[in-house]
Amino acid sequence: MVAAETRTKVLEVNDLSISYGPKTAMSGLSLDVYENEIFGIIGPANSGKTSFLRAINRMDAFDSQMNVNGSLRFMGTEVSAWRNDYALRRQIGVVFPLPVGLPMSIYDNVAFAAKLRGVKGKAALDEVVERCLTRAALWDEVKDRLDSLGSQLSGGQQQRLTIARALSQEPTLLMLDEFSIAVDPVTTMRIEDVLKELKKEMTILLVTNLVQQAERLADRTALFLNGSLIEIGYTDALFEGQTQDQRTKDYLEGRFG
Amino acid sequence: MSEKTLAPSQLDQRDASWYVDKLVQILMFVGGISAIIFIIGIFVFITKEGIAFLFEGFSFTEFFGSINWRPTSSNPTYGALALIVGTASVTGVAMLVAIPFSLGAAIYISEFATGRTKETLKVLVELLAAIPSVVWGFIGLSIMNEFIIEVFDVPIGLNVLNAGIILGLMAAPIMTTIAEDALKAVPDRFREAAEAMGATRWQIIRQVIMPAAKNGLVSAVLLGVGRGFGETMAVLMASGHAINIPTSPFDSVRALTATIAAELGETAQGSEHYGALFALGIFLFIITFIINLAADLVVRGIRKK
């Protein structure tokens, strides 16, 4: 660990626990995420990765069963203390594992967030749509049919559409939850290149099932297991074997369980 | 530790859309709560009109135990048992008719019919639902009456069977529409996944689609039951309107609703008879409340599994 961290903390998490009714999904989580880094979260199913993402943008508000305790600061303010939930969520782009193309045209899918933000005028919206679709490596495939329904695209295209949509929010923090499970390897590589570029502008929280994806992209990586943080470290160091915990080593080497 | 100072207060502004959101929330709350207030208001009104009777002329054992509904006699008695049994028997026959018809039609429209057939059938079913109940009563009185007399060789065709069939046919279209909506709401990927395993159409319907649509199908049936209890005009015209405990489907009966409709106009407001009719109303209200509550509990029970 670096002694003095000078970068801005986008997320500060302290002793966070998440439960659904009697079932605990996450406990005692403490970590910081700095601006302009890709922070990878790896771990098997049921380890609390998605619950963590849901807590960050206050999705617990939609689920009366979901209970979040502890401290979770986004841009220095407790997320639970934000006076405007919607403004918080507008700062945070989310890409879900399975693509959710909203039932509107491709153009409107991408222009939606910009319109919510108050962007007006066709020229300005056109610019947002083209820029975001290009970044999500989808522009060339859909530029001639922007008016067709977003839900009619193929799975991989829809996922890139949701990434374009998340980018159109111009988020401070982009959270990707296993974005590549419905995307082919070639496209995945193209999106990964885009993410490396995006890092200059925003912070990226990358939840992934693919250890190699974390290795390729993440500056730092955390391993979650059964609702707790096992280890957190610089990705290069972790993959070179400098792990504190044997379980991390096993997991990275695919010798787990 | 040198941290760049952030200004979350600049990000965390309550903008116009936040206030619009709160305003809409309040409007929706007022809209929702007013529906509840109206229903409570109706209940209070019915109870207020019937309460004097409940405390004075009302006898629990007479109301539920006697078949003698003689409100205009010099020594009036108010036994509602025959009326309750009448309504229940007509509703029972109606459900025997309506459930197979409506579920069959819904399954056919949703799972088998395609293209033009499907669209035509849907429009037709919705048209059937729009036939006024007095027209159904007229069919019961004129056509079904003679039909039953001829086919079954009975003296009167205005009876439980007639009213039940008429009521079942009346309830079937709306039940079909609701059941079809429930079946349509089952995502196609369920069908595709089951088809990919080699399941036949009937196996898919029986083991995948119907369980998935269970809530909607149950509510379709319970809506039909509610319709049966509440329907007045068609039952009044087709049931024979005779106070009687039916021992066969060919006996005439009288329904709770029909009694209220037929007698309320002839009673003096505030009289004992008037109060007794409102007591019937309270009873009907409680029954429908229990049916709806049961529906809700059934649906919740299914959801938990």
Side-chain angles (χ1 to χ4, degrees):
Chain A
M1 287 282 144
V2 180
E5 187 55 70
T6 54
R7 289 175 298 171
T8 303
K9 289 173 180 171
V10 173
L11 281 177
E12 296 163 74
V13 182
N14 230 315
D15 197 23
L16 183 78
S17 60
I18 303 166
S19 58
Y20 297 90
K23 191 176 155 288
T24 303
M26 171 59 67
S27 58
L29 177 67
S30 298
L31 55 81
D32 293 333
V33 177
Y34 303 105
E35 66 176 345
N36 302 107
E37 77 170 340
I38 299 185
F39 189 89
I41 298 175
I42 55 173
N46 233 343
S47 55
K49 307 183 299 268
T50 302
S51 296
F52 176 49
L53 297 192
R54 288 166 59 88
I56 293 171
N57 76 341
R58 304 266 300 126
M59 299 274 268
D60 53 315
F62 303 123
D63 187 347
S64 59
Q65 288 275 304
M66 185 173 172
N67 234 315
V68 179
N69 285 305
S71 165
L72 205 177
R73 287 166 172 270
F74 172 69
M75 301 301 280
T77 308
E78 284 294 335
V79 292
S80 56
W82 275 61
R83 294 156 68 233
N84 188 342
D85 285 3
Y86 312 107
L88 170 72
R89 296 198 189 103
R90 268 177 242 144
Q91 294 289 320
I92 301 174
V94 188
V95 175
F96 296 100
L98 290 174
V100 186
L102 291 174
M104 45 178 96
S105 72
I106 294 171
Y107 184 95
D108 288 335
N109 259 285
V110 184
F112 188 54
K115 283 182 190 161
L116 291 183
R117 244 198 353 263
V119 176
K120 286 198 183 74
K122 183 149 170 41
L125 289 172
D126 284 351
E127 192 273 324
V128 170
V129 170
E130 176 167 356
R131 178 163 45 85
C132 295
L133 282 172
T134 308
R135 282 182 149 182
L138 187 62
W139 175 251
D140 291 337
E141 288 165 55
V142 299
K143 65 182 173 199
D144 299 324
R145 48 175 179 139
L146 290 173
D147 289 334
S148 58
L149 267 181
S151 48
Q152 282 170 351
L153 293 171
S154 76
Q157 287 174 325
Q158 277 198 47
Q159 189 60 301
R160 282 177 280 159
L161 180 63
T162 56
I163 292 173
R165 210 171 57 200
L167 293 179
S168 72
Q169 290 175 244
E170 294 180 0
T172 310
L173 173 67
L174 177 64
M175 309 199 293
L176 299 127
D177 191 357
E178 295 171 11
F179 76 90
S180 59
I181 59 169
V183 184
D184 68 89
V186 176
T187 311
T188 303
M189 288 303 164
R190 287 171 69 187
I191 296 174
E192 287 187 8
D193 290 339
V194 171
L195 294 179
K196 285 177 202 158
E197 281 295 308
L198 285 174
K199 185 168 87 158
K200 291 172 192 152
E201 294 162 40
M202 59 188 73
T203 305
I204 299 172
L205 203 53
L206 176 78
V207 166
T208 178
N209 266 337
L210 306 168
V211 172
Q212 286 76 22
Q213 191 169 59
E215 185 179 10
R216 286 193 297 268
L217 289 177
D219 300 302
R220 293 189 300 144
T221 298
L223 173 67
F224 284 13
L225 194 62
N226 292 330
S228 34
L229 174 67
I230 300 300
E231 183 162 2
I232 181 169
Y234 284 93
T235 310
D236 298 341
L238 290 180
F239 277 87
E240 279 161 19
Q242 299 169 30
T243 53
Q244 309 280 321
D245 194 300
Q246 184 61 31
R247 285 172 291 181
T248 314
K249 198 173 167 62
D250 290 347
Y251 192 79
L252 295 180
E253 290 171 5
R255 287 190 282 108
F256 199 79
Chain B
M1 286 293 238
S2 71
E3 258 183 46
K4 191 165 75 181
T5 39
L6 290 160
S9 55
Q10 284 175 351
L11 299 174
D12 187 17
Q13 291 292 327
R14 288 183 174 170
D15 47 13
S17 59
W18 189 89
Y19 285 104
V20 170
D21 184 72
K22 289 293 163 225
L23 184 70
V24 171
Q25 265 186 38
I26 291 167
L27 285 176
M28 293 296 137
F29 175 76
V30 170
I33 208 79
S34 63
I36 297 168
I37 288 171
F38 283 136
I39 290 178
I40 292 174
I42 290 169
F43 185 70
V44 167
F45 169 74
I46 295 177
T47 313
K48 190 171 80 61
E49 296 295 311
I51 198 117
F53 172 76
L54 286 182
F55 281 114
E56 286 157 27
F58 182 76
S59 147
F60 192 84
T61 45
E62 183 186 79
F63 192 78
F64 290 105
S66 159
I67 64 163
N68 295 317
W69 180 263
R70 294 197 196 104
T72 48
S73 132
S74 55
N75 181 22
T77 55
Y78 301 99
L81 181 65
L83 309 179
I84 296 167
V85 174
T87 288
S89 58
V90 170
T91 306
V93 173
M95 286 306 105
L96 288 181
V97 173
I99 290 172
F101 272 132
S102 59
L103 289 190
I107 289 170
Y108 178 74
I109 292 173
S110 156
E111 305 297 317
F112 292 96
T114 51
R116 256 226 158 99
T117 327
K118 186 173 184 152
E119 292 312 310
T120 316
L121 276 174
K122 279 170 79 168
V123 172
L124 275 178
V125 166
E126 270 152 36
L127 269 181
L128 280 178
I131 296 177
S133 62
V134 68
V135 174
W136 282 109
F138 182 71
I139 293 171
L141 199 61
S142 55
I143 301 171
M144 283 293 293
N145 183 23
E146 287 174 25
F147 180 78
I148 289 174
I149 290 172
E150 214 145 292
V151 171
F152 296 102
D153 194 25
V154 285
I156 311 169
L158 299 174
N159 48 31
V160 174
L161 184 68
N162 188 335
I165 290 173
I166 290 295
L167 197 55
L169 293 178
M170 261 181 82
I174 188 79
M175 287 166 70
T176 305
T177 305
I178 290 181
E180 199 244 325
D181 283 344
L183 294 171
K184 199 172 58 189
V186 177
D188 275 340
R189 57 199 161 83
F190 287 5
R191 294 183 181 85
E192 285 166 13
E195 270 167 16
M197 289 190 290
T200 65
R201 259 177 163 181
W202 172 239
Q203 286 168 331
I204 294 172
I205 290 165
R206 185 65 203 83
Q207 291 170 38
V208 179
I209 310 288
M210 285 180 65
K214 214 171 191 172
N215 289 1
L217 299 180
V218 169
S219 59
V221 170
L222 285 163
L223 193 90
V225 175
R227 181 91 202 249
F229 265 87
E231 176 51 40
T232 307
M233 187 47 77
V235 176
L236 173 65
M237 290 166 81
S239 66
H241 203 55
I243 295 173
N244 188 16
I245 298 267
T247 51
S248 90
F250 303 108
D251 287 344
S252 295
V253 291
R254 193 201 265 207
L256 285 164
T257 48
T259 305
I260 298 175
E263 294 179 5
L264 192 58
E266 300 162 11
T267 58
Q269 193 170 352
S271 67
E272 197 175 52
H273 186 188
Y274 180 87
L277 292 177
F278 271 92
L280 292 182
I282 294 171
F283 178 70
L284 265 175
F285 195 95
I286 291 169
I287 292 285
T288 38
F289 181 76
I290 289 172
I291 291 172
N292 282 325
L293 193 69
D296 201 53
L297 292 177
V298 165
V299 169
R300 272 166 207 268
I302 291 166
R303 218 177 277 154
K304 258 182 201 159
K305 272 179 197 167

